Amino acid sequence: MAEKFVYFFGKTGTEGNKDMRNTLGGKGANLAEMATLGLPVPAGFTITCEFCNVYLAEGKKFTDAVKKQIADALKQTEAAMGMTYGDEKNPLLVSCRSGARASMPGMMETVLNVGLCSKTIPGMIAKSNERFVYDAYRRLIMMYSDVVMEKAEDIEPEEGKGIRVQLEKIMHELKEAKGYKSDTDMTTDDLKTLCERFKAKVLEVLGKAFPDDAMEQLYGGIGAVFKSWNGRRAISYRKIESIPDDWGTACNVQSMVFGNMGDTSATGVAFSRNPATGDNKFYGEWLINAQGEDVVAGIRTPFPINEETKNEQNKHLPSLETQYPALYKELHDIRDKLEAHFHDMQDIEFTIQEGNLYMLQCRNGKRTGTAAVVMAMDMLDEGLIDEKMAVLRVAPAQLVELLLPVLDPKEEKKATIIVKGLPAGPGGAVGKIVFTSEDAVAAAARGETVILIREETNPEDIDGMRAATGILTARGGMTSHAALVARGWGKCCIVGASDIHIDFAAKTVKIGGKVYTEGTVFTLNGTKGCVYAQAITTMDASENPRFIKFMTLADKYRTMGVRMNADSPADAKVGKAFGAEGIGLFRTEHMFYGKGSDEALFILRKMILAKDDAELQKAVNELFPFVKKSIKGTLEEMDGMPVTVRLLDPPLHEFVPQGEEQQKNLANALGITIAEIQKRGELLHEVNPMMGHRGIRLGLTNTAVTKMTIKAIFEASKELKAAGKNPKAEIMVPVTCSVNELKEAKKLYNAVKAEVGGDITIPYGTMIEIPRACLLADEMAQEAEFFSFGTNDLTQMTFGFSRDDIGGFLPEYLDKKVLKADPFQTIDQEGVGQLIQMAVQKGRSTRDHLKVGICGEQGGDPASVEFCFKAGLTYVSCSPFRVAIARLAAAHAAIKAGQCGCKK
Amino acid sequence: MAEKFVYFFGKTGTEGNKDMRNTLGGKGANLAEMATLGLPVPAGFTITCEFCNVYLAEGKKFTDAVKKQIADALKQTEAAMGMTYGDEKNPLLVSCRSGARASMPGMMETVLNVGLCSKTIPGMIAKSNERFVYDAYRRLIMMYSDVVMEKAEDIEPEEGKGIRVQLEKIMHELKEAKGYKSDTDMTTDDLKTLCERFKAKVLEVLGKAFPDDAMEQLYGGIGAVFKSWNGRRAISYRKIESIPDDWGTACNVQSMVFGNMGDTSATGVAFSRNPATGDNKFYGEWLINAQGEDVVAGIRTPFPINEETKNEQNKHLPSLETQYPALYKELHDIRDKLEAHFHDMQDIEFTIQEGNLYMLQCRNGKRTGTAAVVMAMDMLDEGLIDEKMAVLRVAPAQLVELLLPVLDPKEEKKATIIVKGLPAGPGGAVGKIVFTSEDAVAAAARGETVILIREETNPEDIDGMRAATGILTARGGMTSHAALVARGWGKCCIVGASDIHIDFAAKTVKIGGKVYTEGTVFTLNGTKGCVYAQAITTMDASENPRFIKFMTLADKYRTMGVRMNADSPADAKVGKAFGAEGIGLFRTEHMFYGKGSDEALFILRKMILAKDDAELQKAVNELFPFVKKSIKGTLEEMDGMPVTVRLLDPPLHEFVPQGEEQQKNLANALGITIAEIQKRGELLHEVNPMMGHRGIRLGLTNTAVTKMTIKAIFEASKELKAAGKNPKAEIMVPVTCSVNELKEAKKLYNAVKAEVGGDITIPYGTMIEIPRACLLADEMAQEAEFFSFGTNDLTQMTFGFSRDDIGGFLPEYLDKKVLKADPFQTIDQEGVGQLIQMAVQKGRSTRDHLKVGICGEQGGDPASVEFCFKAGLTYVSCSPFRVAIARLAAAHAAIKAGQCGCKK
């Protein structure tokens, strides 16, 4: 028997269900589920994602076997709907829609009204009216010629020469000639004329006729959906979202229902709860006498679905609740049924055809991070989900948004709102305004933060939206493209600010009579929908009580520790507020960077350029109080929590002064010439400093510094202890490749410990950041009481990639899929991960309860945190700002592994 | 029962044997073996190496248990010799000598005449004569105070203030005062006086009395031997020879016999065959009325042992053969017996006391590489050893010497010999003369080749001898320190050139009335012992038929292939002469280095600095004929043998012109300014070029070059095939870290292959030089038909060591034993080796018969070759000059593993 590629759904005999999304795509699986639930779903069938791969791999052809399955499913559909596809009298029309495993909104193609042709038009007219049918026909020609005949055939017309543009031009000319303002002004005859002109243009431009055969149209539509999986936009979106290429898309062929059959018809989209705030209120938009695309595309400002969710922009428009109370109740009941069934907020599409409600789609709705937290906690309270599910409902990356800057309310109060729009993506954003996706990308590449302003966005704007810090559109509702995408990314976004008037040619925007040129600084309040033509200070938003409660819940299920990388008491304070349980990486050298470090840095430089041991020791002695103060302050701030102090890591030449003024001062202090300073500096130059004289290599050749640092740690601990505090310092040796390095450094540790005296216990461990240290971790663990993976360096060495030099090839490697992701962003589990797992296993083979952490930058990346959990790490350490994300990611990992509850 | 630490040897009841060298040391094991064989060995006992470790680890004390064992063994010794230690009437004197598992000539301490004290002196006088006894006593005081009381107590006197120097000064003063020329002029009373003065000086300088108790002397002597294991010289020697620190030395306490008891006494050392040439002739030196140290130290020019081995230097001196024919016969019989027993050439020490022959030592003799080959082949012919043993008898590193330069005979014939000496180390050496070890080291560090000239060498000269390319001494025989050490290292050396007169203060040498200053160029012919005060051209010595026969024998047992790294037809020719079976690494980029590369390099530079694709493609097209010619020539030279061509590897900026003239020419050719050239060059600059944009990373971003190179290989192969040749090119992709890189490059390969056409099969493989490639070797092998380990880069990445930057810490790491050896010289088996083994195993898990080689520089290092064999590699590839060494090392590995004979 041939493989089953086609699944029917309808009132009876539905073959799929919600758990088959890998095969049927999200849309197909949920259409089947809704049909089984007895909801009014127009019948149809889903052609599987597996077939998409077959189709694309094998010359884009339909085999006889699959054609047979399609014919059978079409027959079932006809039976369910009581109509016949291609029939003269009672013709069935269908839509062909994409639907992948993961939602890829607007990234693939759709063809509506498929099946309209000379043969079926009279029958359709008999069932509705002539004007409606020819309007549907001209829409079909426009869409089909563009999607099926041009895009799917990989025809790349010159700018402005695409078939769609040319057809729109014809329509525009007709309207102009007749003096029409709106499409609805066109008469039946106008539409008939238009269809003839369209077909002639299609033949002229594309060299073949618009198909007049219903079956040909059907296969054309299905093929175009599958081909659009490999369209430029889809590929680009998959890269951003890390969606595998081999998932493929399903194609849903569904009976058409029409929201544009007059004033008793309508179409809408809704969320079972508010996707921006999480409020438990049915929330949606609808339009009378319209097709679904009209709502999503933002061409008309949609109506509110009910009274309680009306807002500034739509309060004057009629709600479905008041206009059609019975239909609203039916829809509201469906909303309740779906939430009870799916235990999650649903994003639904519906159409009302001549007073009858039809469900076209339902899926778990995208939501902002704020909404995710609110819904999770609400649904937990409602008993809809359990605690674990509540924790899992918020993606760790979504927390970024909760932690995102908001505008300083005091400043905002004083500022003037120049325009208001819909609050589509929360948080605050400040940046220079730009008007095209390209300009946004270019400005971001220059390091500028920008606000992208568009009439409305479409999938072609993806890169620019990504690059912008905030998005502002003139049209579209809360379910418009811009709103959906921004929400998915947790990006500040305001849509439907209809009072803005953009002049793309001049690169200006006119608001309230005033013209703003490109580069003007705007501030957006994406939570309220307010726009300001000035910069407003942004601030943190971590004091949300709902957020704190949610994080407490997450911590209940988390088993892996979360620390922070912090180098000062101030850093430490920030991270503690985010829930850090200690410092996993205190970089001694960071006290020489940045503000207030001048004096210490100057002494350090004297030390580096010392000509002999005496000069060196003198500088080291001078440096001691600075190092001790920095360490002591941090230990005090973190009282009772572990603080892992890493010994000096970077190559010394990093600190050699480059400026002449600095060189002069140093020369004076050392009593030598500038030339001598430069000469000594040059001696420190290295060909490959990343693999040079650094870390413990420096620590063993320059033992005075090592001892000084260890002494600072011991003395600080001793003094704090004497003052009744509970300092918990740990000493970490960087860049080790051999246990003998640890043994040598331990001699220095022991000597200092004996010298300082007192009953101070300071665990002694090592960074694991050199492949050899992983390979010989069993030996390393004989000396080291703990490991901490330095995944930045480990990634560099394992790949042989210098992070500073990957610009020349990494973009191309990501483009060509040589690498799945930038390994410096997320741990390369296949390669680097193997070394990590090996090191954990080997390390614990010689030291049972070896404590193992990670302090590379990936420590705050959710996928990396999950990997660390699986690898058995004791804790992750990340930047203070990412601590909450790591906590949640760790909770997710524990829950998914069924290993939760061990900690608290 | 306590552990057995003491083993007796003597006429009866010998407890050890030759197989116990790990416990008894080489000397102790062989003393036991000789005693068991019934040879005249003075009785004694050996305290084990294990005890040395115990003694050094546990506070340098003797436990009661070991004291008891020593006392028992001493009783057995007394019984065997019929004398009693410390006895008034018939006292036994003993020597305390070191003896480790591996020979460490002169690196540790010896004390002779132990047991002479007030109590035993009268009895000794009764057995011999007063003068002899007081001479022995003054020798004991000098040696004991130096070795036991000063050195072993870690007293480090100022230069010239050591106790030995001070005692020598006293003796010198006495001789001066009396007008004596020689030690032998001293009367009994003189010696008595000297002994008293010596003892007073010892008390004054060292603060304690010279011990007058025999037992105290014994334990002092034993302890000093053990302590000398950790003496500076011993540690330094162990580092050079890679001898583990934890082996320890044994201490041999043996009854004294005296070669200096008058004219019927003598002492000597001999080799059962000539250690320099391998000639099967008994070869040795002896001195009448002398102690052993007199022969070895080179103070007196020793006599030849027999007539047939007399030479220029000693032909006028009496041989043992003529002087004492019976004793000579007895010794010669022992020589035969030992060779038959040990199946190897023996190095023996003997003493004749009043007409009685005693054997003091025998061991496998060190020999030159030439001698090793000659002896191995002779002993094979004699049936003394089998083929495998013959192959094993030559250490691979010894071949270096056979391949070492010899002087051009035509030039040498015309040159004037300024002095002759003994040919102690074969080959030719040319260099500037220096007179101290320090100067030799300093000059070598500057990159100069030097000839070290010394009166005689001693262990303090080790570093200088190592640094020098040739060694010339004024004194000493073929068994002197200089000769032994030079032979061990295969270094050119002439000893006993007594007509040279060195003025160390002036740093000059006077030879035949002429004065030569430091820095003058000398040439040595170490095979003949001739010295020239001019440079003579050196040449290769690979046409030795004995050598070729030996290598053929080695190949019979070798199973692993040996290829060479070669980049031109000329290189290829050299390596083929040394037996290379193919090219394992042909570096495409090498055609741009060195002589004759100007034109190609110029085009390459145009390519690198091209501003756009068109300019780039133009340069690539120009480059094509050069690349093709180079590859074709090499394939032709290697007809029928595999040639692995590596695609372009180094980062492009390596080729950016730095000189202004070159920049100018290039600017003219490209029609741009020098500033623009510099700017484009700077764009290519990288922070860590070793981990930057190179290898396949460049190959995939700059596909034009990759395709051009692949095309050159295919076209060259096609043309050679058409001409009836059998080209066997292989294409190797460098610096890969992911199988996707191989897949992408394979697309280019396939495109070129289709373009060139013809039935050309070219295996496609990859370098494995990035840790990640090892970790994912199973995936890599899905695309790669072969692997070749690039151990240079793999070592860099695995350690995180930049080879260019290790100077700052590697010396200290080796000193402190953080690393056992320089991992760039010999494969780090623990770390890098783990990755290699993993890669071989994983690679073959997805491709059964995956061919795996190594082409890093360690491919010619014997230890690395053995490791490669164990790891299951198909072949090693090394520099042409090291091919023979690799062949022999591979044969050794196969024989040791019992896996030989599989190949031929």
Side-chain angles (χ1 to χ4, degrees), chain B residues 46 48 53 140 150 213 257 270 293 366 426 438 539 589 593 626 656 842 852 870 880 884:
Chain B
T46 306
T48 64
N53 286 333
L140 171 64
E150 191 174 86
D213 176 72
V257 288
E293 53 177 345
K366 296 210 174 192
E438 292 70 34
M539 35 186 295
E589 63 271 18
Y593 298 124
F626 291 92
V656 172
K842 288 195 175 192
V852 185
K870 287 184 189 157

PDB file of all heavy atoms in Angstrom, chain B residues 46 48 53 140 150 213 257 270 293 366 426 438 539 589 593 626 656 842 852 870 880 884:
ATOM      1  N   THR B  46      73.787  -4.725  46.230  1.00  0.00           N
ATOM      2  CA  THR B  46      73.102  -3.609  45.577  1.00  0.00           C
ATOM      3  C   THR B  46      71.893  -3.204  46.413  1.00  0.00           C
ATOM      4  O   THR B  46      71.104  -4.073  46.803  1.00  0.00           O
ATOM      5  CB  THR B  46      72.624  -4.026  44.169  1.00  0.00           C
ATOM      6  OG1 THR B  46      73.758  -4.528  43.445  1.00  0.00           O
ATOM      7  CG2 THR B  46      72.020  -2.850  43.423  1.00  0.00           C
ATOM      8  N   THR B  48      68.437  -1.203  46.321  1.00  0.00           N
ATOM      9  CA  THR B  48      67.577  -1.043  45.149  1.00  0.00           C
ATOM     10  C   THR B  48      67.159   0.405  44.832  1.00  0.00           C
ATOM     11  O   THR B  48      67.188   1.285  45.693  1.00  0.00           O
ATOM     12  CB  THR B  48      66.269  -1.853  45.320  1.00  0.00           C
ATOM     13  OG1 THR B  48      65.541  -1.302  46.421  1.00  0.00           O
ATOM     14  CG2 THR B  48      66.544  -3.312  45.567  1.00  0.00           C
ATOM     15  N   ASN B  53      63.936   5.841  46.144  1.00  0.00           N
ATOM     16  CA  ASN B  53      62.725   6.661  46.217  1.00  0.00           C
ATOM     17  C   ASN B  53      62.237   6.804  47.651  1.00  0.00           C
ATOM     18  O   ASN B  53      61.851   7.888  48.077  1.00  0.00           O
ATOM     19  CB  ASN B  53      61.622   6.047  45.342  1.00  0.00           C
ATOM     20  CG  ASN B  53      61.894   6.264  43.868  1.00  0.00           C
ATOM     21  OD1 ASN B  53      62.556   7.237  43.496  1.00  0.00           O
ATOM     22  ND2 ASN B  53      61.425   5.362  43.028  1.00  0.00           N
ATOM     23  N   LEU B 140      90.357   9.313  49.473  1.00  0.00           N
ATOM     24  CA  LEU B 140      89.061   9.155  50.135  1.00  0.00           C
ATOM     25  C   LEU B 140      88.600  10.482  50.737  1.00  0.00           C
ATOM     26  O   LEU B 140      87.442  10.886  50.562  1.00  0.00           O
ATOM     27  CB  LEU B 140      89.152   8.092  51.242  1.00  0.00           C
ATOM     28  CG  LEU B 140      87.897   7.992  52.153  1.00  0.00           C
ATOM     29  CD1 LEU B 140      86.678   7.535  51.361  1.00  0.00           C
ATOM     30  CD2 LEU B 140      88.158   7.043  53.324  1.00  0.00           C
ATOM     31  N   GLU B 150      79.789  17.732  51.228  1.00  0.00           N
ATOM     32  CA  GLU B 150      79.413  19.023  50.639  1.00  0.00           C
ATOM     33  C   GLU B 150      78.238  18.880  49.669  1.00  0.00           C
ATOM     34  O   GLU B 150      77.129  19.325  49.956  1.00  0.00           O
ATOM     35  CB  GLU B 150      80.624  19.652  49.935  1.00  0.00           C
ATOM     36  CG  GLU B 150      80.374  21.103  49.528  1.00  0.00           C
ATOM     37  CD  GLU B 150      81.634  21.757  48.971  1.00  0.00           C
ATOM     38  OE1 GLU B 150      81.880  21.619  47.751  1.00  0.00           O
ATOM     39  OE2 GLU B 150      82.355  22.399  49.754  1.00  0.00           O
ATOM     40  N   ASP B 213      84.875   6.791  61.377  1.00  0.00           N
ATOM     41  CA  ASP B 213      84.211   5.525  61.669  1.00  0.00           C
ATOM     42  C   ASP B 213      83.806   4.867  60.353  1.00  0.00           C
ATOM     43  O   ASP B 213      83.165   5.493  59.504  1.00  0.00           O
ATOM     44  CB  ASP B 213      82.956   5.798  62.523  1.00  0.00           C
ATOM     45  CG  ASP B 213      82.169   4.529  62.772  1.00  0.00           C
ATOM     46  OD1 ASP B 213      82.632   3.689  63.560  1.00  0.00           O
ATOM     47  OD2 ASP B 213      81.093   4.375  62.133  1.00  0.00           O
ATOM     48  N   VAL B 257      88.862  -3.332  44.666  1.00  0.00           N
ATOM     49  CA  VAL B 257      90.115  -3.939  44.183  1.00  0.00           C
ATOM     50  C   VAL B 257      90.900  -2.772  43.616  1.00  0.00           C
ATOM     51  O   VAL B 257      90.324  -1.774  43.184  1.00  0.00           O
ATOM     52  CB  VAL B 257      89.870  -5.044  43.129  1.00  0.00           C
ATOM     53  CG1 VAL B 257      89.298  -6.272  43.785  1.00  0.00           C
ATOM     54  CG2 VAL B 257      88.945  -4.552  42.017  1.00  0.00           C
ATOM     55  N   ALA B 270      86.753  -1.501  28.110  1.00  0.00           N
ATOM     56  CA  ALA B 270      86.819  -2.052  26.758  1.00  0.00           C
ATOM     57  C   ALA B 270      85.433  -2.275  26.191  1.00  0.00           C
ATOM     58  O   ALA B 270      84.443  -2.323  26.940  1.00  0.00           O
ATOM     59  CB  ALA B 270      87.596  -3.364  26.780  1.00  0.00           C
ATOM     60  N   GLU B 293      88.959   5.706  37.359  1.00  0.00           N
ATOM     61  CA  GLU B 293      88.613   7.071  36.961  1.00  0.00           C
ATOM     62  C   GLU B 293      89.704   7.717  36.101  1.00  0.00           C
ATOM     63  O   GLU B 293      89.438   8.598  35.293  1.00  0.00           O
ATOM     64  CB  GLU B 293      88.367   7.935  38.207  1.00  0.00           C
ATOM     65  CG  GLU B 293      89.531   7.877  39.183  1.00  0.00           C
ATOM     66  CD  GLU B 293      89.349   8.797  40.413  1.00  0.00           C
ATOM     67  OE1 GLU B 293      88.464   9.671  40.369  1.00  0.00           O
ATOM     68  OE2 GLU B 293      90.091   8.619  41.374  1.00  0.00           O
ATOM     69  N   LYS B 366      77.167   1.651  24.380  1.00  0.00           N
ATOM     70  CA  LYS B 366      76.648   2.680  23.467  1.00  0.00           C
ATOM     71  C   LYS B 366      77.442   2.619  22.178  1.00  0.00           C
ATOM     72  O   LYS B 366      78.617   2.235  22.173  1.00  0.00           O
ATOM     73  CB  LYS B 366      76.806   4.064  24.092  1.00  0.00           C
ATOM     74  CG  LYS B 366      75.988   4.214  25.353  1.00  0.00           C
ATOM     75  CD  LYS B 366      75.533   5.636  25.578  1.00  0.00           C
ATOM     76  CE  LYS B 366      74.610   5.621  26.788  1.00  0.00           C
ATOM     77  NZ  LYS B 366      73.876   6.851  26.983  1.00  0.00           N
ATOM     78  N   PRO B 426      81.233  10.190  14.482  1.00  0.00           N
ATOM     79  CA  PRO B 426      81.437  10.271  13.030  1.00  0.00           C
ATOM     80  C   PRO B 426      80.694  11.445  12.372  1.00  0.00           C
ATOM     81  O   PRO B 426      79.925  12.143  13.018  1.00  0.00           O
ATOM     82  CB  PRO B 426      80.869   8.951  12.539  1.00  0.00           C
ATOM     83  CG  PRO B 426      79.802   8.630  13.519  1.00  0.00           C
ATOM     84  CD  PRO B 426      80.251   9.176  14.837  1.00  0.00           C
ATOM     85  N   GLU B 438      78.777  27.750  27.884  1.00  0.00           N
ATOM     86  CA  GLU B 438      77.865  28.898  27.852  1.00  0.00           C
ATOM     87  C   GLU B 438      77.913  29.589  26.488  1.00  0.00           C
ATOM     88  O   GLU B 438      76.879  29.948  25.916  1.00  0.00           O
ATOM     89  CB  GLU B 438      78.226  29.927  28.935  1.00  0.00           C
ATOM     90  CG  GLU B 438      77.985  29.470  30.356  1.00  0.00           C
ATOM     91  CD  GLU B 438      78.957  28.370  30.798  1.00  0.00           C
ATOM     92  OE1 GLU B 438      80.133  28.404  30.342  1.00  0.00           O
ATOM     93  OE2 GLU B 438      78.556  27.478  31.551  1.00  0.00           O
ATOM     94  N   MET B 539      78.168  16.852   2.631  1.00  0.00           N
ATOM     95  CA  MET B 539      77.216  16.208   1.722  1.00  0.00           C
ATOM     96  C   MET B 539      76.541  15.008   2.379  1.00  0.00           C
ATOM     97  O   MET B 539      76.970  14.529   3.423  1.00  0.00           O
ATOM     98  CB  MET B 539      77.894  15.789   0.421  1.00  0.00           C
ATOM     99  CG  MET B 539      79.330  15.319   0.563  1.00  0.00           C
ATOM    100  SD  MET B 539      80.100  15.020  -1.031  1.00  0.00           S
ATOM    101  CE  MET B 539      79.110  13.666  -1.625  1.00  0.00           C
ATOM    102  N   GLU B 589      50.340  26.043  -1.531  1.00  0.00           N
ATOM    103  CA  GLU B 589      50.853  27.393  -1.378  1.00  0.00           C
ATOM    104  C   GLU B 589      52.368  27.475  -1.422  1.00  0.00           C
ATOM    105  O   GLU B 589      52.923  28.557  -1.588  1.00  0.00           O
ATOM    106  CB  GLU B 589      50.344  28.018  -0.066  1.00  0.00           C
ATOM    107  CG  GLU B 589      50.805  27.311   1.200  1.00  0.00           C
ATOM    108  CD  GLU B 589      49.846  26.205   1.627  1.00  0.00           C
ATOM    109  OE1 GLU B 589      49.038  25.776   0.795  1.00  0.00           O
ATOM    110  OE2 GLU B 589      49.926  25.782   2.781  1.00  0.00           O
ATOM    111  N   TYR B 593      56.408  30.373  -2.353  1.00  0.00           N
ATOM    112  CA  TYR B 593      57.522  30.739  -1.481  1.00  0.00           C
ATOM    113  C   TYR B 593      58.846  30.473  -2.201  1.00  0.00           C
ATOM    114  O   TYR B 593      58.937  29.612  -3.051  1.00  0.00           O
ATOM    115  CB  TYR B 593      57.510  29.888  -0.203  1.00  0.00           C
ATOM    116  CG  TYR B 593      56.280  30.041   0.677  1.00  0.00           C
ATOM    117  CD1 TYR B 593      55.520  28.934   1.022  1.00  0.00           C
ATOM    118  CD2 TYR B 593      55.900  31.282   1.173  1.00  0.00           C
ATOM    119  CE1 TYR B 593      54.406  29.064   1.849  1.00  0.00           C
ATOM    120  CE2 TYR B 593      54.797  31.415   2.000  1.00  0.00           C
ATOM    121  CZ  TYR B 593      54.050  30.302   2.333  1.00  0.00           C
ATOM    122  OH  TYR B 593      52.957  30.418   3.150  1.00  0.00           O
ATOM    123  N   PHE B 626      50.442  28.110 -13.538  1.00  0.00           N
ATOM    124  CA  PHE B 626      51.523  27.884 -12.568  1.00  0.00           C
ATOM    125  C   PHE B 626      51.181  26.721 -11.633  1.00  0.00           C
ATOM    126  O   PHE B 626      51.995  25.842 -11.372  1.00  0.00           O
ATOM    127  CB  PHE B 626      51.759  29.145 -11.730  1.00  0.00           C
ATOM    128  CG  PHE B 626      52.353  30.274 -12.512  1.00  0.00           C
ATOM    129  CD1 PHE B 626      51.550  31.211 -13.120  1.00  0.00           C
ATOM    130  CD2 PHE B 626      53.735  30.369 -12.651  1.00  0.00           C
ATOM    131  CE1 PHE B 626      52.090  32.246 -13.849  1.00  0.00           C
ATOM    132  CE2 PHE B 626      54.291  31.405 -13.383  1.00  0.00           C
ATOM    133  CZ  PHE B 626      53.465  32.354 -13.992  1.00  0.00           C
ATOM    134  N   VAL B 656      50.437  39.165   1.542  1.00  0.00           N
ATOM    135  CA  VAL B 656      50.358  40.596   1.244  1.00  0.00           C
ATOM    136  C   VAL B 656      51.776  41.179   1.260  1.00  0.00           C
ATOM    137  O   VAL B 656      52.519  40.940   2.205  1.00  0.00           O
ATOM    138  CB  VAL B 656      49.469  41.323   2.280  1.00  0.00           C
ATOM    139  CG1 VAL B 656      49.535  42.825   2.085  1.00  0.00           C
ATOM    140  CG2 VAL B 656      48.035  40.822   2.177  1.00  0.00           C
ATOM    141  N   LYS B 842      36.137   6.609  15.388  1.00  0.00           N
ATOM    142  CA  LYS B 842      34.857   7.136  14.891  1.00  0.00           C
ATOM    143  C   LYS B 842      34.828   7.140  13.368  1.00  0.00           C
ATOM    144  O   LYS B 842      33.814   6.814  12.757  1.00  0.00           O
ATOM    145  CB  LYS B 842      34.625   8.551  15.402  1.00  0.00           C
ATOM    146  CG  LYS B 842      34.299   8.599  16.881  1.00  0.00           C
ATOM    147  CD  LYS B 842      33.720   9.972  17.265  1.00  0.00           C
ATOM    148  CE  LYS B 842      33.283   9.951  18.719  1.00  0.00           C
ATOM    149  NZ  LYS B 842      32.467  11.102  19.096  1.00  0.00           N
ATOM    150  N   VAL B 852      43.937   6.414   6.922  1.00  0.00           N
ATOM    151  CA  VAL B 852      44.258   7.478   7.869  1.00  0.00           C
ATOM    152  C   VAL B 852      45.763   7.681   7.941  1.00  0.00           C
ATOM    153  O   VAL B 852      46.514   6.738   8.170  1.00  0.00           O
ATOM    154  CB  VAL B 852      43.735   7.159   9.284  1.00  0.00           C
ATOM    155  CG1 VAL B 852      43.988   8.334  10.213  1.00  0.00           C
ATOM    156  CG2 VAL B 852      42.257   6.826   9.257  1.00  0.00           C
ATOM    157  N   LYS B 870      50.207   2.300  16.849  1.00  0.00           N
ATOM    158  CA  LYS B 870      49.262   1.770  17.836  1.00  0.00           C
ATOM    159  C   LYS B 870      47.841   2.295  17.589  1.00  0.00           C
ATOM    160  O   LYS B 870      46.858   1.619  17.866  1.00  0.00           O
ATOM    161  CB  LYS B 870      49.696   2.143  19.251  1.00  0.00           C
ATOM    162  CG  LYS B 870      50.903   1.354  19.720  1.00  0.00           C
ATOM    163  CD  LYS B 870      51.218   1.695  21.169  1.00  0.00           C
ATOM    164  CE  LYS B 870      52.537   1.084  21.605  1.00  0.00           C
ATOM    165  NZ  LYS B 870      53.111   1.824  22.741  1.00  0.00           N
ATOM    166  N   PRO B 880      61.216  14.682   3.827  1.00  0.00           N
ATOM    167  CA  PRO B 880      61.960  13.677   3.068  1.00  0.00           C
ATOM    168  C   PRO B 880      63.146  13.126   3.854  1.00  0.00           C
ATOM    169  O   PRO B 880      63.390  11.927   3.863  1.00  0.00           O
ATOM    170  CB  PRO B 880      62.428  14.452   1.830  1.00  0.00           C
ATOM    171  CG  PRO B 880      61.407  15.518   1.644  1.00  0.00           C
ATOM    172  CD  PRO B 880      60.967  15.895   3.022  1.00  0.00           C
ATOM    173  N   ALA B 884      63.556   7.687   6.323  1.00  0.00           N
ATOM    174  CA  ALA B 884      64.206   6.445   6.767  1.00  0.00           C
ATOM    175  C   ALA B 884      63.954   6.213   8.251  1.00  0.00           C
ATOM    176  O   ALA B 884      63.712   5.087   8.698  1.00  0.00           O
ATOM    177  CB  ALA B 884      65.702   6.510   6.472  1.00  0.00           C
TER     178      ALA B 884
END
